[in-house]
Amino acid sequence: MTRVVVLSGAGLSAESGLGTFRDAGGIWQKYDLEEVATPEGFARNPALVHEFYNARRANCLAARPNAAHHALAALQQRLGDRVTLVTQNIDDLLERAGAREVIHMHGQVMRAQCAHCGHRWDAPAVMDPSDPCPACEHPATRPDIVWFGEIPYHMDAIGAALAEAELFVAIGTSGSVYPAAGFVREAHINGARKLELNLEPSEGSALFDDTRLGPATEIVPLWVAEMLAAEG
Ligand code: APR
């Protein structure tokens, strides 16, 4: 009865047309992350930050889940709460593939929050700095995204899942941003097997027992099929 924790990154959604960050032509080569993905950048120029996330929200709305998203949803549907899906991605493609209770440790681009009162709600397609918060009416709305320098969400739940995991699988992540990049070590300490599914070796590949290289839409469905066959 294998308990699995799956950590996904931008590579899971790359074949759905959503950009990665550090590959050639990645998002951080087009935008200065200090300007669009930090609280300081938001304080300096909220309109620029909303413009950045409005564009990413539009890309997300136009995108469709790929075979890797569907495979992970099928794995969770079959194994239930023995599968914990943790993602660094802010898109909703796993949910749109049928996954439930996805742990978005970096937030969700389809959600908004109020920087004044903390209220959260489903984001409109286009957000603007002058939007009033639906709860306190302050014009302090921001995307419900965890920016650099902020504390990722759901770390307690992720730690609890890693403590129980017999298998830790990292999919489509460069392993360059903490705390997510440290989850493989936590899994190792807890005695879990560690598998990496990625297009190319990541910064943390040496920490995994096994690394399989290829596009997520090919190698993730193959891995899920193996898991479902083994679980009977
Ligand atoms: N299939 C599988 N893996 C892929 C594919 C693909 N089609 N395309 C790219 N990859 C891999 C790349 O080889 C790379 O290792 O996905 C990884 C993407 O790495 P990053 O661009 O660094 O994205 P990620 O690891 O998710 O970044 C982590 O950094 O900027 C922050 O908050 C942001 O959540 C993000 C975090």
Side-chain angles (χ1 to χ4, degrees):
M1 301 284 271
T2 309
R3 300 192 70 84
V4 192
V5 172
V6 178
L7 170 69
S8 54
L12 177 70
S13 299
E15 290 161 270
S16 293
L18 300 185
T20 59
F21 295 95
R22 295 171 185 82
D23 292 324
I27 291 170
W28 296 146
Q29 289 175 8
K30 297 174 189 151
Y31 294 89
D32 176 354
L33 72 83
E34 293 295 334
E35 295 303 311
V36 295
T38 63
E40 298 77 11
F42 183 66
R44 272 194 301 275
N45 188 343
L48 175 65
V49 174
H50 276 302
E51 182 189 317
F52 175 70
Y53 286 101
N54 288 340
R56 297 191 65 204
R57 191 172 305 108
N59 292 345
C60 183
L61 287 165
R64 296 173 56 77
N66 63 49
H69 297 107
H70 285 294
L72 291 177
L75 180 71
Q76 184 188 52
Q77 277 148 21
R78 177 78 160 282
L79 300 191
D81 63 7
R82 286 182 283 151
V83 176
T84 303
L85 298 178
V86 181
T87 189
Q88 299 169 90
N89 297 342
I90 61 174
D91 64 61
D92 62 348
L93 296 182
L94 277 168
E95 288 88 345
R96 285 161 57 192
R100 300 179 326 286
E101 295 170 27
V102 178
I103 298 178
H104 286 271
M105 62 182 292
H106 290 166
Q108 301 172 78
V109 76
M110 307 309 280
R111 295 281 288 169
Q113 68 170 300
C114 175
H116 179 73
C117 76
H119 177 62
R120 283 179 168 81
W121 66 97
D122 287 339
V126 177
M127 293 185 73
D128 184 280
S130 61
D131 292 343
C133 165
C136 73
E137 298 183 353
H138 273 73
T141 64
R142 58 173 277 186
D144 189 11
I145 300 287
V146 177
W147 286 325
F148 288 95
E150 295 184 320
I151 299 169
Y153 294 157
H154 311 300
M155 289 304 292
D156 291 347
I158 296 169
L162 288 170
E164 300 287 316
E166 293 156 281
L167 176 60
F168 173 74
V169 185
I171 300 174
T173 180
S174 60
S176 52
V177 174
Y178 285 80
F183 293 169
V184 59
R185 284 185 188 82
E186 224 173 306
H188 177 75
I189 289 164
N190 294 317
R193 285 178 290 117
K194 305 165 294 291
L195 168 65
E196 182 178 52
L197 305 176
N198 216 49
L199 188 63
E200 57 201 17
S202 71
E203 291 184 28
S205 288
L207 300 170
F208 287 85
D209 304 304
D210 188 13
T211 292
R212 298 182 194 177
L213 301 179
T217 55
E218 287 175 24
I219 60 177
V220 173
L222 285 174
W223 168 68
V224 166
E226 277 175 32
M227 284 293 291
L228 295 181
E231 293 293 328

